[in-house]
Amino acid sequence: LAKTTQPISMDSYEGQEVNITCSHNNIATNDYITWYQQFPSQGPRFIIQGYKTKVTNEVASLFIPADRKSSTLSLPRVSLSDTAVYYCLVSYTGTASKLTFGTGTRLQVML
Amino acid sequence: IAGITQAPTSQILAAGRRMTLRCTQDMRHNAMYWYRQDLGLGLRLIHYSNTAGTTGKGEVPDGYSVSRANTDDFPLTLASAVPSQTSVYFCASSDWSGRSYNEQFFGPGTRLTVL
């Protein structure tokens, strides 16, 4: 079972851009990468999904380099309410048995 | 019901007892999942179901069983609970295209303590 690796924690200040990287080995060409946000005592919530190059939505961007061995979630101008744990999920094509969440990155946003 | 619900919210259970965690979704998603979340280990997949009538094993299936009799419900059963099954359990659902797994919607979780 291929593993994903993320930094355990990151600190930032309000208004800054935050980039969280996830490493994922053995990822195949058509496998998707999805990021989730989780607040204490809640279930994870979808942020963004992609499988190559760059994807952007109203809250974040996802950068995936050509070799696809890693991906970077970019949060522009974070606020205190972005303090949460962020998870990277690699969806291996065709079988849910290999859905693998990373260990999560705890982001602390400060004033 | 709006979205995905889980019951109970929390439970304290004696070791050796049988317990069923309930999960219901009203989004007509074909795929459903059970995860457990332990401190420092992130979320680990226990069992999943791509469509009603089918189930599959995830990363940590031992000691757990599931059934998927219809689209909406996906109960998780611990036949004989052990203390190592103390965890927070999340149910999730999503569309499954047959090729890839789309955005998962998570329930609020069930906090289970086995003594």
Side-chain angles (χ1 to χ4, degrees):
Chain A
L1 197 64
K3 294 187 66 175
T4 59
T5 305
Q6 303 173 230
I8 293 174
S9 64
M10 298 180 68
D11 292 332
S12 181
Y13 291 95
E14 273 200 315
Q16 289 188 331
E17 178 184 77
V18 171
N19 295 309
I20 305 174
T21 297
C22 178
S23 297
H24 26 77
N25 57 4
N26 300 327
I27 188 170
T29 302
N30 293 326
D31 293 334
Y32 287 80
I33 299 155
T34 313
W35 284 82
Y36 290 83
Q37 176 191 56
Q38 186 179 29
F39 297 112
S41 301
Q42 294 184 23
R45 185 177 67 176
F46 173 90
I47 302 174
I48 197 166
Q49 183 182 71
Y51 67 88
K52 63 180 180 181
T53 61
K54 177 184 176 181
V55 178
T56 298
N57 63 21
E58 64 275 10
V59 298
S61 295
L62 177 60
F63 299 92
I64 305 170
D67 67 5
R68 296 176 47 78
K69 293 183 183 298
S70 66
S71 59
T72 299
L73 173 71
S74 180
L75 304 172
R77 298 179 298 281
V78 295
S79 64
L80 292 176
S81 63
D82 292 317
T83 294
V85 179
Y86 292 82
Y87 289 96
C88 163
L89 172 65
V90 178
S91 308
Y92 287 88
T93 304
T95 172
S97 64
K98 291 181 168 52
L99 284 172
T100 306
F101 272 85
T103 52
T105 298
R106 185 172 302 276
L107 173 65
Q108 179 68 53
V109 180
M110 300 169 288
L111 285 172
Chain B
I1 297 177
I4 186 163
T5 59
Q6 294 183 235
T9 302
S10 65
Q11 182 75 46
I12 299 174
L13 188 67
R17 297 295 295 270
R18 180 185 179 90
M19 176 73 189
T20 295
L21 307 184
R22 300 184 298 279
C23 175
T24 300
Q25 54 107 356
D26 66 353
M27 296 173 283
R28 308 304 295 172
H29 287 157
N30 50 1
M32 296 188 74
Y33 319 82
W34 274 105
Y35 293 90
R36 61 177 290 173
Q37 185 171 36
D38 304 293
L39 195 64
L41 294 177
L43 289 100
R44 294 181 293 168
L45 183 67
I46 304 171
H47 285 288
Y48 67 96
S49 169
N50 287 336
T51 60
T54 69
T55 62
K57 295 180 180 180
E59 181 184 356
V60 288
D62 294 343
Y64 306 95
S65 63
V66 292
S67 62
R68 187 89 183 277
N70 57 61
T71 298
D72 299 343
D73 301 300
F74 191 42
L76 176 73
T77 297
L78 290 69
S80 179
V82 296
S84 61
Q85 292 178 309
T86 293
S87 186
V88 179
Y89 291 85
F90 287 102
C91 180
S93 70
S94 77
D95 285 325
W96 177 63
S97 66
R99 181 175 176 273
S100 64
Y101 293 90
N102 296 324
E103 173 186 356
Q104 293 183 52
F105 293 82
F106 284 80
T110 293
R111 183 175 298 275
L112 180 67
T113 302
V114 182
L115 301 176

